[in-house]
Amino acid sequence: MEAPRGPREPPWPAPAVPEEPRTLRPRRRAAEAGEEAVFRDEVRFAPDPLPVRYYDQDTARPVSFYLSSLEELLAWTPGPEDGFSVALVPAQGRQPPLGSRRPRTLLCHDMMGGYLEDRFVQGSAAPSPYAFYHWQHIDIFVYFSHHLVTLPPVGWTNAAHRHGVRVLGTFITEWKEGGQLCEAFLAGGDGSYRAVADRLVLLAQFLRFDGWLINIENSLSAAAVGNTPPFLHYLTTQLHQQVPGGLVLWYDSVVSSGQLRWQDELNEQNRVFFDSCDGIFTNYNWGEAHLERMRAAAGERLADVYVGVDVFARGNVVGGRFDTYKSLELIRKHGLSAALFAPGWVYECLEKTEFLQNQDKFWSLLTRYLPTHSICSLPFVTSFCLGMGTRRVCYGQEEAVGPWYHPGAQEPQPLFGEHRPEGPGQGWVKTHSCLADAWNGGSSLLVRGTIPPEEGHVAVRLFSLQVPVPPKLLLSLVYKLEGPAKVRVALELTTGDADSCHVGGISALNAETSDRHRPRPLRVPPTKLARWAARCGRRLQGGWVQRCYELSLRGCLLQDLFVSFSRDPASREGEHFVCRLGEIQVVDADSLLSPLHQVQAIAVSRVSWQRAAPEGEGPPEGAGPPAGLRLSCTLHWSYPLPHARCFRIHCRPGPGPEKPAFLGLAFANQYRVVGLAVAEARPGQDGRVEFLVEPVPREGFLVPQAEWGRAALLYSTPGA
């Protein structure tokens, strides 16, 4: 359906051109990798106000943003500050893909108005934050708030994309003001609603999230509701063209007459909206009769109907809270998709000290109704970090003590829960995240279990994969046994395509499970792979152990990754064990032979200076003794982001060879340094601070410091 044509130009002001921040000119550019770019600045204390939209007014740290009006939306164009909110990579591939007909699971994150500690792009020191980590069971993540244009904080987008989950923002109108707003862009000609749709597409395209939930919760005039299906169709079409795998979903609220009447189902009163986009998210007060009608109404698009489940159990619902599984059971019975609204209930309403346990309990009750997704690309690397912790650890070495929270730093998460082998044995294995110790980041995976007397070993499946395996595969496991248990720890994997799959360099467990294999550990890693396997076979700091494996494969499909625990065959007693897993890596050996990418073209902009805080107030960032100045600036650099896992930012205040101090993580080619303590320049001399950008490749190995990006800032006092 095409709306009557009206004026092509929307009745709003043209977008403003953003003002470029002051960028320092380099005194000397880095000519080669490892060389230092040098910049100079004169210390001045003139105010340099930061754009309110992009920076927290209390801490001056960059934040994710939202838009509150049509004027803001239509005036938005990508600028330098928007770079903080660009996701690192698109959603990773997974199986089955979102386009399959299998019923899907959508998670709608609604928590206390949104934009809480998760708004800080570079993380915060939140002591008891919310985290979601059961990504292998969901397909779509929606970030919801009551702002007109709710843009997903980039930390959520990075975490979701790392697991292959699509991320949607929310476009919502409500109450009388929402009705007036809809009149402004829907009741006129197609130029008005197309201008709004074009900006929504541009936001998703530039910030690298995947689409929109459209939620019109106010009555519409005849003209406005008549233009709503064309608006949805145009938005969906444009999004599909500009954002691969993009989605537009409609929330069940307004009906075709323009009245605000929640239907709790797909029916003839809201079908016109469903037919104009990728799916519908229904309201929550449904019963089985609604599901039966929807099954008939959806036809071949059963998976595009997302039946709403309010986890808070408000209204007349089948089940919420810890009874949410009752709703899921009925929804799956009828072959429909599910939309879980506000599963953060376990955080908001229950004890914060028991959050991880309650989170695991909630999702374990749903697992049978939530199919597992498979990872389908290499390299696959995880330290099991939740993106938070009580201290920060880097490869077994403690970097900082104190709480931290950075959703974007969350690593790929495993399948959680309790696993019991088939058969009469009494063996069991249970996995859960633990903040008490970490190999890299803030947490590790704690594995507890029992090997019964009648069994020689137990194993737990951690990841489901569907990966065509390259000819040579390298695997690594970092682990630590706790307590007196005498068990052997090993990686196991399963391969598919058994008829054509040739396996070399490993030993099969037994004839009955010929597609399940236990690789032999590498004793001497290949010389060319030394940078990846430098720690293999050694006992590491903190009691960690790393085991490396090499597999020669041809025509195989890697399907599952297990960790197994074996007891001494000579023992006739059962064995209880506690083991921490710190890291798993699965890497194509050939990928490690290519040259390292270099951090290039480092620039410094938005430099500002402040006097040091009075004695007793510690510096907001950095390390070292009290100093006379606080430096804030933005670092920019060039690096091919598809090859980066993240960047670690360091500084070295002052001259000298001392070890660089860790500042934080970046998941884009820029980082904001805030309130760094530096010494005042002496009369007639330059002060100096050096910044170092350490790239962390996707394969997960350490890059030598000589190959980091480096920039020095020389500063002087006026008149000195």
Short mmCIF file of all heavy atoms in Angstrom, two decimals, residues 287-308:
data_model
loop_
_atom_site.label_atom_id
_atom_site.label_comp_id
_atom_site.label_asym_id
_atom_site.label_seq_id
_atom_site.Cartn_x
_atom_site.Cartn_y
_atom_site.Cartn_z
N GLY A 287 -3.89 -16.39 26.76
CA GLY A 287 -4.10 -17.75 27.23
C GLY A 287 -3.91 -18.71 26.08
O GLY A 287 -3.58 -18.30 24.96
N GLU A 288 -4.15 -19.98 26.32
CA GLU A 288 -3.89 -20.96 25.26
C GLU A 288 -4.80 -20.74 24.05
O GLU A 288 -4.40 -21.00 22.91
CB GLU A 288 -4.03 -22.38 25.78
CG GLU A 288 -3.57 -23.41 24.76
CD GLU A 288 -3.26 -24.77 25.35
OE1 GLU A 288 -3.62 -25.01 26.52
OE2 GLU A 288 -2.65 -25.59 24.64
N ALA A 289 -6.00 -20.23 24.27
CA ALA A 289 -6.89 -19.97 23.13
C ALA A 289 -6.28 -18.94 22.19
O ALA A 289 -6.41 -19.04 20.96
CB ALA A 289 -8.25 -19.49 23.64
N HIS A 290 -5.59 -17.93 22.75
CA HIS A 290 -4.91 -16.94 21.90
C HIS A 290 -3.83 -17.63 21.05
O HIS A 290 -3.67 -17.32 19.85
CB HIS A 290 -4.24 -15.86 22.76
CG HIS A 290 -5.18 -14.98 23.52
ND1 HIS A 290 -5.76 -15.37 24.70
CD2 HIS A 290 -5.62 -13.72 23.27
CE1 HIS A 290 -6.51 -14.39 25.15
NE2 HIS A 290 -6.45 -13.37 24.31
N LEU A 291 -3.08 -18.54 21.66
CA LEU A 291 -2.02 -19.22 20.94
C LEU A 291 -2.57 -20.07 19.81
O LEU A 291 -1.99 -20.12 18.71
CB LEU A 291 -1.20 -20.09 21.90
CG LEU A 291 -0.55 -19.38 23.10
CD1 LEU A 291 0.22 -20.39 23.95
CD2 LEU A 291 0.36 -18.26 22.66
N GLU A 292 -3.68 -20.72 20.06
CA GLU A 292 -4.30 -21.54 19.01
C GLU A 292 -4.73 -20.68 17.84
O GLU A 292 -4.54 -21.04 16.67
CB GLU A 292 -5.48 -22.30 19.60
CG GLU A 292 -5.07 -23.39 20.60
CD GLU A 292 -6.25 -23.98 21.37
OE1 GLU A 292 -7.37 -23.42 21.23
OE2 GLU A 292 -6.05 -24.96 22.09
N ARG A 293 -5.33 -19.52 18.12
CA ARG A 293 -5.75 -18.62 17.04
C ARG A 293 -4.53 -18.08 16.27
O ARG A 293 -4.56 -17.95 15.05
CB ARG A 293 -6.58 -17.47 17.59
CG ARG A 293 -7.95 -17.90 18.11
CD ARG A 293 -8.86 -16.71 18.34
NE ARG A 293 -8.40 -15.83 19.40
CZ ARG A 293 -8.77 -15.93 20.68
NH1 ARG A 293 -9.60 -16.91 21.05
NH2 ARG A 293 -8.33 -15.09 21.59
N MET A 294 -3.47 -17.75 17.02
CA MET A 294 -2.28 -17.22 16.35
C MET A 294 -1.63 -18.26 15.46
O MET A 294 -1.10 -17.93 14.39
CB MET A 294 -1.27 -16.72 17.39
CG MET A 294 -1.60 -15.35 17.94
SD MET A 294 -0.25 -14.64 18.91
CE MET A 294 -0.53 -15.42 20.48
N ARG A 295 -1.65 -19.49 15.89
CA ARG A 295 -1.05 -20.55 15.07
C ARG A 295 -1.73 -20.63 13.72
O ARG A 295 -1.07 -20.83 12.69
CB ARG A 295 -1.17 -21.88 15.81
CG ARG A 295 -0.49 -23.04 15.12
CD ARG A 295 -0.48 -24.26 15.99
NE ARG A 295 0.24 -25.36 15.37
CZ ARG A 295 0.53 -26.50 15.95
NH1 ARG A 295 0.15 -26.70 17.21
NH2 ARG A 295 1.18 -27.44 15.32
N ALA A 296 -3.04 -20.43 13.72
CA ALA A 296 -3.77 -20.44 12.45
C ALA A 296 -3.54 -19.16 11.66
O ALA A 296 -3.38 -19.18 10.44
CB ALA A 296 -5.27 -20.64 12.72
N ALA A 297 -3.47 -18.02 12.36
CA ALA A 297 -3.35 -16.73 11.68
C ALA A 297 -1.97 -16.51 11.07
O ALA A 297 -1.84 -15.85 10.04
CB ALA A 297 -3.66 -15.59 12.66
N ALA A 298 -0.92 -17.07 11.69
CA ALA A 298 0.44 -16.79 11.24
C ALA A 298 0.82 -17.54 9.98
O ALA A 298 1.72 -17.11 9.25
CB ALA A 298 1.43 -17.12 12.36
N GLY A 299 0.15 -18.65 9.69
CA GLY A 299 0.48 -19.43 8.51
C GLY A 299 1.92 -19.91 8.55
O GLY A 299 2.36 -20.52 9.52
N GLU A 300 2.67 -19.60 7.48
CA GLU A 300 4.06 -20.03 7.41
C GLU A 300 4.99 -19.14 8.24
O GLU A 300 6.18 -19.43 8.35
CB GLU A 300 4.53 -20.04 5.95
CG GLU A 300 3.81 -21.07 5.08
CD GLU A 300 4.34 -21.08 3.67
OE1 GLU A 300 5.19 -20.20 3.35
OE2 GLU A 300 3.92 -21.94 2.88
N ARG A 301 4.44 -18.07 8.83
CA ARG A 301 5.29 -17.14 9.58
C ARG A 301 5.16 -17.35 11.10
O ARG A 301 5.23 -16.41 11.88
CB ARG A 301 4.94 -15.70 9.22
CG ARG A 301 5.28 -15.31 7.79
CD ARG A 301 5.03 -13.83 7.56
NE ARG A 301 5.89 -12.99 8.38
CZ ARG A 301 5.73 -11.67 8.53
NH1 ARG A 301 4.72 -11.05 7.94
NH2 ARG A 301 6.57 -10.98 9.30
N LEU A 302 5.04 -18.60 11.51
CA LEU A 302 4.91 -18.88 12.95
C LEU A 302 6.08 -18.30 13.74
O LEU A 302 5.89 -17.73 14.82
CB LEU A 302 4.87 -20.40 13.18
CG LEU A 302 3.53 -21.11 13.07
CD1 LEU A 302 3.74 -22.61 13.22
CD2 LEU A 302 2.56 -20.61 14.11
N ALA A 303 7.28 -18.43 13.21
CA ALA A 303 8.46 -17.98 13.95
C ALA A 303 8.53 -16.46 14.05
O ALA A 303 9.31 -15.93 14.85
CB ALA A 303 9.73 -18.52 13.30
N ASP A 304 7.75 -15.73 13.25
CA ASP A 304 7.75 -14.26 13.29
C ASP A 304 6.78 -13.70 14.32
O ASP A 304 6.67 -12.48 14.45
CB ASP A 304 7.41 -13.70 11.91
CG ASP A 304 8.46 -14.04 10.86
OD1 ASP A 304 9.61 -14.29 11.26
OD2 ASP A 304 8.13 -14.07 9.66
N VAL A 305 6.08 -14.57 15.02
CA VAL A 305 5.18 -14.14 16.09
C VAL A 305 5.89 -14.37 17.42
O VAL A 305 6.12 -15.51 17.84
CB VAL A 305 3.85 -14.91 16.06
CG1 VAL A 305 2.95 -14.47 17.21
CG2 VAL A 305 3.15 -14.71 14.72
N TYR A 306 6.26 -13.28 18.09
CA TYR A 306 6.99 -13.33 19.37
C TYR A 306 5.98 -13.09 20.49
O TYR A 306 5.53 -11.96 20.71
CB TYR A 306 8.09 -12.28 19.40
CG TYR A 306 9.13 -12.46 18.31
CD1 TYR A 306 8.91 -11.96 17.02
CD2 TYR A 306 10.31 -13.14 18.55
CE1 TYR A 306 9.85 -12.14 16.01
CE2 TYR A 306 11.26 -13.32 17.56
CZ TYR A 306 11.02 -12.82 16.29
OH TYR A 306 11.95 -12.98 15.29
N VAL A 307 5.60 -14.16 21.17
CA VAL A 307 4.56 -14.08 22.19
C VAL A 307 5.17 -13.49 23.46
O VAL A 307 6.12 -14.04 24.03
CB VAL A 307 3.96 -15.47 22.46
CG1 VAL A 307 2.85 -15.35 23.51
CG2 VAL A 307 3.41 -16.07 21.17
N GLY A 308 4.63 -12.37 23.92
CA GLY A 308 5.19 -11.65 25.06
C GLY A 308 5.00 -12.38 26.38
O GLY A 308 3.92 -12.89 26.68
#
